[in-house]
Amino acid sequence: MLIPIMLVDILFPAHRDRPYLRPGGLAGVAALAVLGVGMVRMTIPPSQDPGYQAPVAVLAGVVLAVAILAVLALRVLPGRTPSPAPASRLPQPAAAGLLALLATFGFLGLLFPAGDPPAFGEGAWTLVPMAMAAAIGAGAGWLFLRWSATGGWSDQHRIWAAGGALMAHSVVAVYVFASSTFDRVGQIVLAAITVLLLALLARRTRRAAPCL
């Protein structure tokens, strides 16, 4: 979700501080999101887990958690969250991309191991890889926040970081989620197109940087 937003901001730097949607557009997106949830409920469970119905308490807990997170995100945290301290030094863009690749691969690999999805172990043991994945996500997020608060953090860093995360996602998609040769070839082709487009974007931002 964050990577497309970041890439759009890089493509259109003059609009980075403008909201994407007015209230009417936001309401429309919210309605589509609700419709999407309904479509997922009607199409995926019958084939993935026929006959399963989540307990009412679980559903109520999920709704309550969403409401609490929404209030925190929209009313409590804005303007109150302290900015992280800048890092003492910045890595090269390629190094930032490598870290993003490793962090994303570790995060997804722990949650979706090949041959034994959706997590290692059974029962309460599944909490172990989930906790490890959460630690990787939180650690990488904290590090990237510090880097982004440091002078010299550039669009080149952002593009390499996005590329690393997307490549790791593609690897997991090929080895875990692809169920046929056609799917695997399709994922590889998409990954190659992604690399090409990101390289063109990096070249464009390098040329435009002296003019900004």
Side-chain angles (χ1 to χ4, degrees):
M1 294 171 64
L2 295 177
I3 289 176
I5 295 173
M6 182 178 68
L7 293 178
V8 170
D9 287 345
I10 294 173
L11 285 167
F12 306 101
H15 300 283
R16 288 183 178 182
D17 297 327
R18 296 179 58 183
Y20 283 8
L21 300 170
R22 292 191 289 267
L26 185 60
V29 170
L32 287 175
V34 173
L35 177 62
V37 171
M39 292 177 64
V40 169
R41 176 64 184 87
M42 296 298 294
T43 57
I44 294 180
S47 61
Q48 298 297 320
D49 199 353
Y52 174 76
Q53 177 63 50
V56 175
V58 172
L59 297 176
V62 170
V63 172
L64 179 62
V66 170
I68 292 174
L69 291 174
V71 171
L72 288 174
L74 298 175
R75 297 295 183 185
V76 178
L77 294 180
R80 301 183 184 181
T81 305
S83 300
S88 58
R89 57 181 298 182
L90 277 177
Q92 293 296 317
L98 178 61
L99 176 68
L101 184 148
L102 295 175
T104 304
F105 187 77
F107 181 88
L108 294 176
L110 285 167
L111 297 180
F112 301 99
D116 188 29
F120 292 101
E122 296 180 356
W125 284 107
T126 58
L127 295 175
V128 175
M130 292 169 65
M132 294 172 63
I136 290 175
W142 175 80
L143 189 55
F144 274 98
L145 281 175
R146 290 197 63 191
W147 285 344
S148 63
T150 306
W153 181 256
S154 67
D155 285 343
Q156 293 295 308
H157 290 89
R158 297 183 180 93
I159 293 171
W160 275 88
L166 291 173
M167 288 306 97
H169 182 275
S170 296
V171 171
V172 173
V174 169
Y175 287 100
V176 177
F177 296 112
S179 57
S180 67
T181 301
F182 179 81
D183 290 342
R184 294 186 182 93
V185 172
Q187 290 289 345
I188 293 172
V189 170
L190 288 176
I193 294 174
T194 299
V195 170
L196 175 62
L197 293 177
L198 287 176
L200 292 175
L201 181 58
R203 182 179 179 184
R204 170 182 168 179
T205 57
R206 280 196 301 268
R207 289 180 173 179
C211 302
L212 294 178

